[in-house]
Amino acid sequence: MEFRRKDLLGIADLEPEEIQVILDTAASFKEISTRPIKKVPTLRGKTVVTMFYEPSTRTRMSFEIAAKRLSADTLNLTVSASSAVKGETLADTAHNLEAMAPDVLIIRHAASGAPHYLAQRLKCGVINAGDGLHEHPTQALLDLLTVKEAKGTLSGLKVAIIGDIAHSRVARSDIHAFTKMGSQVTVAGPATMLPPYLETLGATVTTSLLEAVRGADVIMMLRLQLERMGQMFLSTLREYSQFFGLAPKHLQLAKDDVIIMHPGPLNRGVEISPEVADGPHSLILEQVTNGVAVRMAVLYFLIGGEKG
Ligand code: CP
């Protein structure tokens, strides 16, 4: 099966077979990043534009590296130095960029649905690099690839996703992604950070970290998104860390070969202890490595080959 879409907007829309073909292609692209000359001509002549209205290190850099490894030309809109600060609307900015003939726009925006809004209006492809509290599809794809490589399968795994679920687009995309691929997902967090729709997405819900990690194959810790929340979500950081921070003692409850993941950036000592983040079970940097390969695969399917 091929992945034949103009845009990548979310995991909720995808069939498991589409996810699988992206993972398989990403796995084959990983080798390119190990070569002395890390470049292939696959996307020569294509133009990739990134528009990040929110901060990013991993996603923005890995999209740019992915595009360059495939020989595409890349341009970054520096939003703080763009005409957005003069009041230009998102749609006007995107239409003006499209007038310069890019093949794909990659957008991160605080408004849920911003990539969908652009995808309906633009002829070029649109990739969602994180929209508000909604989805972060390429993060979920790189998480799937990381787990598949470590465990050999996604089917039947017990995946615990822990922390600030309410503010996490990663959590939403990961719940869709892991359940579609046959894993059992348990989410845990303070009651104030557990939105009511989680069970409708196929996840088991608990307010106990201990319950979530018991027997887990995968523990995914989430960043506490202090910038998105008011005081009503949290009493103190210390109390949050006491009940929802992952420490070495918790790993004894999980499977012996449990893997620890985190999308980054880390709040060290809040949701995850340094000993766990840097310990032998951690695949946090492998996630980052796989982010390049997954984004190469997504760019390849959206703008490469005969469809481009
Ligand atoms: N995981 C992730 O989206 O990281 P950045 O915010 O640094 O892109």
Side-chain angles (χ1 to χ4, degrees):
M1 180 171 186
E2 284 280 304
F3 180 88
R4 293 186 177 276
R5 290 176 183 257
K6 176 176 100 54
D7 313 295
L8 176 65
L9 302 177
I11 299 292
D13 314 330
L14 302 185
E15 299 297 329
E17 294 78 12
E18 292 178 290
I19 294 173
Q20 191 60 56
V21 78
I22 293 174
L23 299 184
D24 292 344
T25 305
S28 72
F29 277 147
K30 271 190 89 168
E31 180 269 332
I32 295 168
S33 294
T34 67
R35 296 181 190 176
I37 296 173
K38 305 176 184 65
K39 203 181 251 305
V40 293
T42 310
L43 296 184
R44 193 164 52 200
K46 304 291 182 181
T47 304
V48 174
V49 171
T50 61
M51 311 165 70
F52 277 65
Y53 286 77
E54 290 189 319
S56 171
T57 297
R58 283 147 287 271
T59 311
R60 183 175 147 179
M61 296 302 291
S62 61
F63 263 120
E64 186 164 346
I65 288 172
K68 287 183 191 304
R69 297 224 164 127
L70 295 174
S71 299
D73 297 315
T74 61
L75 291 133
N76 298 305
L77 178 75
T78 306
V79 173
S80 62
S82 77
S83 289
V85 297
K86 300 181 214 165
E88 187 171 53
T89 67
L90 175 64
D92 280 342
T93 300
H95 280 302
N96 277 270
L97 291 174
E98 190 179 44
M100 301 177 208
D103 295 282
V104 66
L105 292 184
I106 300 167
I107 180 168
R108 171 172 287 189
H109 201 281
S112 300
H116 308 68
Y117 175 80
L118 293 188
Q120 287 166 4
R121 285 161 178 77
L122 301 179
K123 293 190 183 65
C124 70
V126 175
I127 299 175
N128 180 1
D131 63 323
L133 308 183
H134 182 223
E135 281 229 38
H136 190 350
T138 56
Q139 178 69 44
L141 291 167
L142 73 88
D143 289 340
L144 289 177
L145 180 60
T146 305
V147 173
K148 178 82 192 309
E149 285 180 343
K151 301 291 180 188
T153 183
L154 295 165
S155 179
L157 296 179
K158 185 176 175 199
V159 178
I161 303 177
I162 297 168
D164 181 5
I165 310 290
H167 298 98
S168 178
R169 53 200 177 204
V170 173
R172 286 177 65 100
S173 288
D174 271 343
I175 294 168
H176 285 305
F178 281 100
T179 55
K180 280 175 192 265
M181 301 311 281
S183 303
Q184 296 164 6
V185 177
T186 300
V187 296
T192 51
M193 297 182 194
L194 293 171
Y197 56 77
L198 290 169
E199 278 165 350
T200 68
L201 302 184
T204 301
V205 182
T206 174
T207 53
S208 165
L209 177 145
L210 302 182
E211 192 179 317
V213 302
R214 193 165 287 121
D217 299 285
V218 178
I219 302 175
M220 173 84 65
M221 300 307 296
L222 299 174
R223 183 172 71 87
L224 192 59
Q225 300 200 34
L226 293 164
E227 74 278 18
R228 294 192 202 272
M229 66 176 70
Q231 289 224 315
M232 73 284 252
F233 287 95
L234 191 66
S235 49
T236 64
L237 278 183
R238 192 169 159 188
E239 188 178 279
Y240 180 85
S241 182
Q242 185 182 344
F243 289 102
F244 293 101
L246 192 69
K249 66 182 179 191
H250 298 128
L251 305 196
Q252 293 163 16
L253 298 172
K255 296 252 176 74
D256 290 344
D257 60 350
V258 65
I259 60 174
I260 308 302
M261 301 170 70
H262 190 302
L266 307 180
N267 292 310
R268 284 176 178 270
V270 179
E271 72 263 0
I272 190 164
S273 73
E275 294 84 354
V276 175
D278 303 328
H281 294 269
S282 173
L283 292 184
I284 292 171
L285 293 180
E286 190 60 29
Q287 289 173 264
V288 180
T289 299
N290 283 336
V292 174
V294 156
R295 289 168 180 131
M296 288 169 77
V298 168
L299 289 171
Y300 168 73
F301 279 119
L302 260 55
I303 63 171
E306 70 277 11
K307 301 186 304 301

